[in-house]
Amino acid sequence: MVLKIFFPTCCNTADSGLLIGRWIPGQDSAVVLAVIHYPFIPGQVKKYLSETQNQSQVDLAVLGSWSLPKDGQEGMDSFLKDLSTIFPNSRWLQLSREIGKRGFACQVVHNRITPPDPAQGGTDKKDQIIFIHYDQRKVMLSQLHPIHEESPGEESSELRAVFHTVAQSGPLFLLDRYDEGPLKLTHWQSEGREASIVVELSKQASVPLCIVLTWLVSLWQCGIRILNIWPVQFISSKMSTCVQTAYRTNHFQTVFSTKKATSHMEFMRKANIFVSFLVDMSLGLLLVSWLYRENHISQLANTLVKLSLYRFFLYHIHLWISYIRLMSPFIEMILWYVGLSACLGLTFALSVLSDIVALLTFHIYCFYVYGARLYCLKVYGLSSLWRLFCGKKWNVLRQRVDSCSYDLDQLFIGTLLFTILLFLLPTTALYYLVFTLLRLVVVMFQGVIHLAIDLINSFPLFAMGLRLCRSYRLAEGVKFRVLCEEPGTPLHLMMEINPLKCSSVLQRYRTPTYSCYPRDSWVDLCKKLFMGELIYPWKHKTTKTD
């Protein structure tokens, strides 16, 4: 039987003492977490393990002894071996290392008094030992994917159990060399705990700050409840600014909640939203600084006035020109105040821009509707009259084409109508083509804006930053390489973390959004364009999508 011992690299040069770790249930494997240095009192070791086990909920135990010979410590091996009677286990691991050698010597002592523990894989057969070295810091901070939610009574895999054991043993790693206590340990934080004054102060200030911000968000929600009234709700659902406001309000509720994240996915969701919000605000402030410098607002206002004039349908154009002339003195002032919305983030500025484009091109939409209705009427009229010539008609009740006999008068009138509609079709089709192209240009421009908003809102910036800067934090698996294979010593392997692929990071940690999506497929869209039906290619989703 092969006995696998997961050994942290930080303990390779630890002083002699006891091995603290855990036997993996159902596996013939042991995870070494720390080394308690000699001298120590066994009673204090048991008390410390009991307290740490209650905090971490990990079945910690003394796995055996670790010996690194030094001057003045003759007979240490026999002393540590005798401790197996004080810390009874079915197997006692005796690990030793000689100075100048990379490999460890390992001897497994079977306790005949204590019956074999299935959780420890205890057997009477001679074990073949493999040492698997791992970076304790990386494994401690890493999250193995795919994230597996264990149900009660379900056994996890060996590798997942190792990651879980190291991650849950945080209380064991709080004791470092600077603590004045009876026990001294070696682990990944034994030289001093990783900490930052800025981070600690931020943690202390985050709770009262979140309470205040949550209260402000609740007041804001009470103020925007007017948007739920029917006429206002219908109008606000068509405006990108209102949709983005509701979306950001939900984000604020999630980020500023005083409840601590209870799972990895919840933590990553909060972190992604927070970083996305900071980036959005930064880009918005950059846009504000550009707009209010070198008279860019006036230039933008003049450009919008010029671009909004088209010479189609003279009557509507005259009305539109009058409207634009009436609004021209106020457009610059409106843009000046609207530009301040970028202080709330670039997504708000883009949402306002989408609404402004919709208002300034409303006449194009009207022309498109007129042309589409006339074209659709003629297409369906021609198809109906064509069935008249073929001696058929459309059965409305059964939704099918049936045979029908027509008299001479009906055929004569049908011929006249068919001729009129056929000769008017090219003119109507030309107008419809022009207006449809203009409408599609506007819709595609708004679609690009909505896609940019959706990208900023949903892109997992925090997760992608972890993947690029600290790839071990998001692990997809592990790989092993031979570290040492010396005669007379067990095989030594090095466990390295395989980072999660960038595509998997985007797919797993993308923030759910109220994004826009094509309402119809490309085939249906082309069919509607040919038949003259009204198209609304971009539509806000009513439910969140992952």
Side-chain angles (χ1 to χ4, degrees):
M1 182 173 290
V2 178
L3 172 63
K4 294 182 285 294
I5 301 176
F6 292 84
F7 196 87
T9 55
C10 57
C11 297
N12 287 343
T13 58
D15 294 336
S16 300
L18 296 177
L19 296 173
I20 305 300
R22 178 197 181 201
W23 291 98
I24 302 299
Q27 305 288 341
D28 200 29
S29 305
V31 182
V32 178
L33 298 173
V35 175
I36 296 182
H37 302 162
Y38 177 83
F40 51 80
I41 300 176
Q44 292 177 341
V45 174
K46 291 183 177 181
K47 181 181 178 181
Y48 174 71
L49 289 181
S50 178
E51 294 175 352
T52 307
Q53 183 171 338
N54 293 333
Q55 296 177 8
S56 62
Q57 301 300 318
V58 177
D59 297 329
L60 298 177
V62 178
L63 303 179
S65 62
W66 164 259
S67 177
L68 184 64
K70 290 186 177 180
D71 295 337
Q73 293 185 354
E74 291 78 6
M76 180 65 67
D77 291 342
S78 60
F79 169 75
L80 294 175
K81 180 179 180 181
D82 293 338
L83 292 177
S84 61
T85 58
I86 303 178
F87 303 99
N89 284 314
S90 62
R91 286 188 291 183
W92 180 265
L93 303 178
Q94 284 186 299
L95 307 185
S96 62
R97 180 183 181 185
E98 297 182 6
I99 304 268
K101 289 187 176 181
R102 300 182 63 184
F104 302 164
C106 180
Q107 183 180 359
V108 181
V109 179
H110 294 271
N111 190 348
R112 299 297 180 179
I113 300 177
T114 304
D117 187 357
Q120 302 178 13
T123 60
D124 291 336
K125 298 180 180 179
K126 186 175 181 180
D127 297 312
Q128 180 183 355
I129 300 172
I130 296 179
F131 279 97
I132 301 177
H133 298 261
Y134 68 95
D135 190 325
Q136 196 171 58
R137 178 179 180 273
K138 291 184 178 181
V139 175
M140 172 74 182
L141 301 176
S142 178
Q143 174 61 49
L144 188 62
H145 293 75
I147 298 175
H148 178 66
E149 299 293 339
E150 294 184 14
S151 58
E154 182 182 357
E155 293 185 359
S156 60
S157 64
E158 180 182 23
L159 184 61
R160 193 173 297 276
V162 171
F163 274 74
H164 176 76
T165 299
V166 179
Q168 293 297 114
S169 302
L172 180 65
F173 306 138
L174 297 179
L175 190 64
D176 57 35
R177 59 182 297 183
Y178 301 104
D179 291 324
E180 296 180 358
L183 300 178
K184 299 296 181 181
L185 280 74
T186 293
H187 48 74
W188 75 281
Q189 287 195 131
S190 57
E191 296 299 323
R193 281 173 283 180
E194 289 188 350
S196 171
I197 297 178
V198 177
V199 173
E200 295 300 325
L201 291 177
S202 301
K203 289 180 180 179
Q204 296 297 327
S206 61
V207 175
L209 180 61
C210 287
I211 293 176
V212 174
L213 292 176
T214 302
W215 179 72
L216 293 176
V217 171
S218 62
L219 291 180
W220 170 255
Q221 281 188 315
C222 294
I224 65 175
R225 284 180 181 175
I226 191 175
L227 297 178
N228 295 329
I229 302 176
W230 177 77
V232 181
Q233 183 181 16
F234 176 77
I235 297 175
S236 62
S237 64
K238 306 301 180 184
M239 298 181 64
S240 300
T241 306
C242 296
V243 174
Q244 180 63 19
T245 301
Y247 181 71
R248 277 303 185 199
T249 303
N250 293 334
H251 274 186
F252 291 154
Q253 283 184 319
T254 302
V255 175
F256 299 143
S257 174
T258 56
K259 296 182 180 179
K260 187 178 180 180
T262 57
S263 64
H264 173 76
M265 291 300 297
E266 186 178 354
F267 167 75
M268 293 296 292
R269 170 175 165 76
K270 282 189 174 184
N272 285 326
I273 292 176
F274 182 71
V275 175
S276 175
F277 174 71
L278 291 181
V279 173
D280 188 18
M281 291 286 292
S282 302
L283 294 176
L285 292 176
L286 288 176
L287 179 60
V288 169
S289 64
W290 179 81
L291 285 175
Y292 295 92
R293 187 175 64 243
E294 298 180 1
N295 202 24
H296 287 149
I297 290 289
S298 299
Q299 299 175 6
L300 183 61
N302 295 331
T303 303
L304 289 176
V305 171
K306 293 178 181 178
L307 292 179
S308 61
L309 298 177
Y310 293 93
R311 296 183 177 277
F312 306 111
F313 286 6
L314 190 58
Y315 175 71
H316 293 83
I317 286 299
H318 281 305
L319 292 179
W320 189 252
I321 291 176
S322 301
Y323 168 72
I324 292 298
R325 287 177 179 174
L326 180 65
M327 293 297 296
S328 294
F330 306 100
I331 288 181
E332 182 177 350
M333 182 176 62
I334 292 174
L335 289 178
W336 196 92
Y337 287 105
V338 166
L340 295 177
S341 65
C343 294
L344 301 176
L346 181 62
T347 53
F348 277 92
L350 293 176
S351 299
V352 172
L353 176 61
S354 178
D355 293 334
I356 291 177
V357 170
L359 292 176
L360 292 180
T361 59
F362 182 71
H363 58 301
I364 295 180
Y365 174 73
C366 294
F367 301 156
Y368 162 71
V369 172
Y370 299 155
R373 291 303 186 190
L374 289 175
Y375 176 78
C376 181
L377 179 63
K378 292 184 179 180
V379 169
Y380 278 98
L382 289 173
S383 62
S384 179
L385 293 173
W386 178 257
R387 286 194 293 268
L388 183 143
F389 297 148
C390 297
K392 297 181 179 180
K393 71 172 183 178
W394 174 255
N395 191 329
V396 181
L397 295 178
R398 298 187 177 183
Q399 294 294 308
R400 67 183 186 184
V401 178
D402 295 334
S403 300
C404 181
S405 59
Y406 298 95
D407 56 24
L408 187 60
D409 294 338
Q410 291 175 327
L411 291 174
F412 178 72
I413 295 176
T415 303
L416 291 178
L417 292 177
F418 183 84
T419 304
I420 295 173
L421 293 178
L422 182 62
F423 283 100
L424 288 177
L425 182 62
T427 303
T428 306
L430 180 60
Y431 276 97
Y432 169 70
L433 177 62
V434 174
F435 301 148
T436 301
L437 291 177
L438 290 174
R439 172 62 179 166
L440 288 177
V441 169
V442 175
V443 168
M444 292 301 296
F445 180 72
Q446 289 183 305
V448 171
I449 295 178
H450 292 161
L451 290 177
I453 295 174
D454 181 65
L455 178 63
I456 297 175
N457 286 334
S458 64
F459 191 81
L461 290 171
F462 180 77
M464 190 57 66
L466 283 182
R467 172 59 182 83
L468 297 178
C469 300
R470 295 187 177 183
S471 58
Y472 60 86
R473 293 289 300 271
L474 303 176
E476 189 175 26
V478 297
K479 59 183 178 181
F480 301 94
R481 61 179 176 87
V482 177
L483 187 63
C484 177
E485 192 174 6
E486 297 177 352
T489 61
L491 175 63
H492 290 257
L493 302 177
M494 184 65 189
M495 184 177 72
E496 299 177 348
I497 294 177
N498 281 333
L500 194 65
K501 297 179 181 178
C502 293
S503 58
S504 300
V505 173
L506 291 175
Q507 181 180 3
R508 182 171 296 275
Y509 294 107
R510 185 176 182 269
T511 306
T513 60
Y514 294 95
S515 59
C516 296
Y517 71 104
R519 185 176 182 180
D520 303 302
S521 64
W522 289 107
V523 176
D524 294 336
L525 183 62
C526 294
K527 181 180 179 181
K528 285 188 174 183
L529 288 174
F530 180 77
M531 297 301 296
E533 299 180 17
L534 295 180
I535 56 171
Y536 302 94
W538 299 97
K539 176 186 177 183
H540 284 286
K541 287 191 176 183
T542 56
T543 58
K544 292 183 180 181
T545 58
D546 295 330

